[in-house]
């Protein structure tokens, strides 16, 4: 079975500073990887996904993530954050064959400090 | 507008009183799923459905039931709610093998 670890439950960052949110996964088979964002009092929205091809994936709102198979990681990065990026971010994995089941990490709450 | 809708958005009930949370999607998606979100635990899957009349257990199915009689609807049923089912519930849908799930706005349930 697959699992996801988000080590940082909370990350405070100053506005316009860079940020990295860490995600590690474990699986005995190939996986697809996702980052979802949850703004306050809203549902989840897909930020970006890695299915195949280039290991550097660009998403919405200036975010990007890099798939590193040897380190089983899929860290999310943004070079300069804004107040509007305040949200909870979830990393998720899915097996690559015929099953849309998502396994989520426990989430990282990103707080932007003005 | 393509969307997943859930009703009600907020619900306070008492232990043992049966309730249903509805979920509907207008995107003709085959796959639908229910999650619960609890602090420090992230989202955990309750049940999912690959198509009409096809449902299966997720990671935390105890105390819940689902049905999928129509493609667009996937209600979550709590026949005898208990306080440990107090949580934020999300419904999601996806096109078959698209791997992008669309989430509803959530239903906050409190069981006293």
């Amino acid at each position: 079975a697959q699992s996801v670890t988000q080590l940082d439950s909370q990350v405070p960052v100053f506005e316009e500073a860079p940020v990295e949110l860490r995600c590690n996964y474990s699986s005995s088979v190939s996986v697809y990887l996702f980052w979802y964002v949850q703004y306050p009092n809203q549902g989840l929205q897909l930020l970006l996904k890695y299915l195949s091809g280039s290991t550097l994936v660009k998403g919405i709102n200036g975010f990007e993530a890099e798939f590193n198979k040897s380190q089983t990681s899929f860290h999310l990065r943004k070079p300069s954050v804004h107040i509007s990026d305040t949200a909870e971010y979830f990393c998720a994995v899915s097996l690559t064959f015929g099953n849309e089941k998502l396994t989520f990490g426990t989430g990282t709450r990103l707080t932007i400090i003005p | 507008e393509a969307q997943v809708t859930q009703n009600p958005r907020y619900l306070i009930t008492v232990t043992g009183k049966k309730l249903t949370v509805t979920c509907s999607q207008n995107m003709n998606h085959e796959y639908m799923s229910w999650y619960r979100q609890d602090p420090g635990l992230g989202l955990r899957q309750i049940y999912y459905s690959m198509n009409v009349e096809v449902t299966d257990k997720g990671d935390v199915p105890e105390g819940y039931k689902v049905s999928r009689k129509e493609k667009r609807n996937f209600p979550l049923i709590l026949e005898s709610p208990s306080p440990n089912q107090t949580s934020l519930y999300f419904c999601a849908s996806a096109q078959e093998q698209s791997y992008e799930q669309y989430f509803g706005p959530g239903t906050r349930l409190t069981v006293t």
Side-chain angles (χ1 to χ4, degrees), chain A residues 6-92:
Chain A
Q6 293 181 249
L7 287 173
D8 305 308
S9 60
Q10 297 188 62
V11 174
V13 179
F14 285 103
E15 194 173 12
E16 297 184 6
V19 68
E20 177 180 84
L21 305 183
R22 297 182 293 168
C23 172
N24 289 88
Y25 70 93
S26 66
S27 175
S28 58
V29 297
S30 295
V31 295
Y32 294 144
L33 294 156
F34 307 82
W35 276 99
Y36 280 83
V37 60
Q38 184 180 29
Y39 297 108
N41 300 313
Q42 294 187 28
L44 278 74
Q45 178 182 356
L46 182 68
L47 260 184
L48 50 80
K49 61 186 176 186
Y50 172 79
L51 302 184
S52 64
S54 173
T55 57
L56 183 62
V57 180
K58 294 190 184 300
I60 61 172
N61 300 338
F63 283 92
E64 63 181 31
E66 186 157 18
F67 170 55
N68 188 319
K69 190 173 182 179
S70 62
Q71 297 188 3
T72 60
S73 68
F74 191 55
H75 301 331
L76 181 70
R77 301 186 183 99
K78 186 170 183 178
S80 176
V81 296
H82 303 286
I83 290 287
S84 59
D85 293 323
T86 296
E88 189 149 23
Y89 293 79
F90 292 94
C91 184

Side-chain angles (χ1 to χ4, degrees), chain B residues 35-88:
Chain B
Y35 298 88
R36 61 177 288 173
Q37 182 181 15
D38 301 291
L41 297 177
L43 280 83
R44 294 177 293 167
Q45 189 179 54
I46 303 170
Y47 269 95
Y48 66 98
S49 169
M50 301 296 287
N51 215 323
V52 176
E53 302 292 0
V54 180
T55 63
D56 207 347
K57 297 177 180 178
D59 299 316
V60 288
E62 294 77 21
Y64 304 94
K65 287 177 61 175
V66 293
S67 67
R68 187 94 181 272
K69 292 182 169 50
E70 304 167 282
K71 198 171 187 179
R72 64 183 292 126
N73 296 324
F74 191 45
L76 179 69
I77 303 157
L78 285 72
E79 296 218 329
S80 184
S82 62
N84 64 13
Q85 292 178 298
T86 292
S87 188
L88 180 57

Side-chain angles (χ1 to χ4, degrees), chain A residues 32 34 36 38 41-44 46 49 51 88 90 94-107, chain B residues 9 31 35 37 40-43 45 48 50 58-59 88 90 94-101 103-106:
Chain A
Y32 294 144
F34 307 82
Y36 280 83
Q38 184 180 29
N41 300 313
Q42 294 187 28
L44 278 74
L46 182 68
K49 61 186 176 186
L51 302 184
E88 189 149 23
F90 292 94
S94 174
L95 298 180
T96 60
F97 49 90
N99 183 349
E100 285 78 1
K101 173 181 165 63
L102 279 175
T103 299
F104 285 87
T106 52
Chain B
R9 295 288 313 280
Y31 178 88
Y35 298 88
Q37 182 181 15
L41 297 177
L43 280 83
Q45 189 179 54
Y48 66 98
M50 301 296 287
D59 299 316
L88 180 57
F90 288 100
Q95 194 168 7
E96 191 176 7
Q97 299 205 346
S98 76
Y99 296 97
E100 177 173 352
Q101 294 198 16
F103 283 78

